[in-house]
Amino acid sequence: MKKTGLMILILMLLPAQVVAEELVLDNPRVVTFKSNVSSCLASVEIKQIDGHLRTLPTMGFEIEPGWHTMHGTAKLNLANCPVKEERSRKQVHVPALEWLFEAGKVYYVGLDHSSPMRKNWRLVVWKVEDLES
């Protein structure tokens, strides 16, 4: 009798585990690497999410659905998108990206440095795709 009860309990919990795994598979993905440098979008390395320092893969990562604020750094190739203002060694403040990340989507994040003025550079979501099943 105890074995039957245990088997029923296992069978009841199994669907909940499968649902939990499916939810993780649907988490939004953030892609931060861009190989085509012909446009003025640079790859970024996200260092902070929602005020918390994070160590994340440089190519991209998964995130929980919802509103998130991100800060990061970028390495620029100015050969294809030169800066017209006087160059300086000062760090340029780039405002954080605040975005609603939805389940089942892939978000491509980069630094838009198309403006000749560094103060206008922004972290942007430059492409959104449906997550392939």
Side-chain angles (χ1 to χ4, degrees), residues 22-85:
E22 286 178 10
L23 288 176
V24 170
L25 293 176
D26 285 344
N27 273 352
R29 292 190 185 152
V30 177
V31 177
T32 56
F33 179 76
K34 183 175 185 318
S35 60
N36 178 6
V37 294
S38 62
S39 65
C40 297
L41 287 168
S43 298
V44 296
E45 187 175 347
I46 301 300
K47 303 277 190 180
Q48 193 178 91
I49 298 178
D50 300 330
H52 301 285
L53 291 175
R54 305 280 303 267
T55 302
L56 299 163
T58 57
M59 300 291 278
F61 51 90
E62 287 188 359
I63 193 168
E64 291 189 12
W67 282 99
H68 294 285
T69 303
M70 298 179 179
H71 292 273
T73 60
K75 292 183 181 176
L76 306 179
N77 179 350
L78 298 177
N80 297 313
C81 194
V83 176
K84 294 180 179 133
E85 69 180 24

Side-chain angles (χ1 to χ4, degrees), residues 12-23:
M12 288 174 56
L13 294 176
L14 185 60
Q17 178 65 27
V18 170
V19 169
E21 287 177 6
E22 286 178 10
L23 288 176

